[in-house]
Amino acid sequence: MKRALLLPLLSMISLPLACLAHVGSPDVFYEGNAGPYRLFVTVRTPAMIPGIAAIEVRSLDGHVTGINIAPSRILGEGSTNAPPPDHMERSSTDPDYFTGRLWLMASGTYQVRMEVFGAGGQAQMAVPIAAAARSTLPIERALGALLLGLMAVLSVALVSILGAAARESQLEPGTVPVAHVI
């Protein structure tokens, strides 16, 4: 009886551990058809925006001769005015493998538009991706010290301006203010 209860309990505890996959992975994996061509696409989004996304495409049917890619916003002005496409490089050792890189200039939802060329003619496909900063770079000590010094100068200037405004707001109209040196 105890074994009959223990087995389902253990399977409920261990099942979630076995189901860990790409949950939380920033990479995009997409398998689909571009016309007559079956493609498997991997998009490795950059850790910081703006940044460069690495794109890998594998032709699953072996009939692709070239691929052009371009980033495009899914919604808004960028969805109709995409930049000119970049040509993906074909691997010298594997003719079904292509690599390319695209700049993602702002956070948001994008699609990687693909023009695929091959024996079956030209076809198009779009892979949706989300671009968001996942990390930040540390600031260098010298730059941090410079920015801290400039902030101190701006703070002193702000106090000086506010002091002068407070003093002169108490004067009667037409009275010439007296210069105060700090």
Side-chain angles (χ1 to χ4, degrees):
M1 175 96 177
K2 287 184 181 181
R3 284 188 182 178
L5 294 175
L6 188 59
L7 186 60
L9 182 63
L10 285 176
S11 64
M12 287 187 333
I13 292 171
S14 62
L15 183 63
L17 296 175
C19 292
L20 293 177
H22 293 285
V23 176
S25 172
D27 299 338
V28 175
F29 302 96
Y30 187 85
E31 184 175 348
N33 291 333
Y37 311 110
R38 185 117 181 106
L39 303 176
F40 182 75
V41 180
T42 302
V43 180
R44 302 191 193 290
T45 57
M48 290 160 284
I49 303 294
I52 299 174
I55 297 150
E56 302 168 0
V57 177
R58 175 165 301 283
S59 170
L60 299 177
D61 58 9
H63 302 295
V64 175
T65 58
I67 302 174
N68 291 337
I69 54 174
S72 173
R73 290 282 194 164
I74 290 183
L75 297 172
E77 184 65 28
S79 64
T80 57
N81 298 324
D86 294 332
H87 184 71
M88 294 187 78
E89 295 293 322
R90 188 176 207 169
S91 173
S92 59
T93 57
D94 184 1
D96 295 331
Y97 183 72
F98 297 83
T99 58
R101 298 165 26 136
L102 289 177
W103 272 98
L104 300 178
M105 298 305 291
S107 295
T109 53
Y110 284 87
Q111 61 184 339
V112 177
R113 290 186 182 173
M114 299 183 167
E115 292 178 293
V116 184
F117 305 95
Q122 180 180 351
Q124 295 183 352
M125 183 170 87
V127 178
I129 60 172
R134 297 185 312 271
S135 66
T136 57
L137 291 176
I139 192 166
E140 296 177 12
R141 282 190 183 264
L143 181 59
L146 173 69
L147 292 174
L148 184 64
L150 290 173
M151 185 180 71
V153 168
L154 286 173
S155 298
V156 168
L158 180 64
V159 168
S160 189
I161 290 169
L162 291 176
R167 279 191 309 274
E168 292 182 17
S169 69
Q170 303 297 321
L171 296 177
E172 294 294 323
T175 305
V176 177
V178 177
H180 291 280
V181 178
I182 298 178

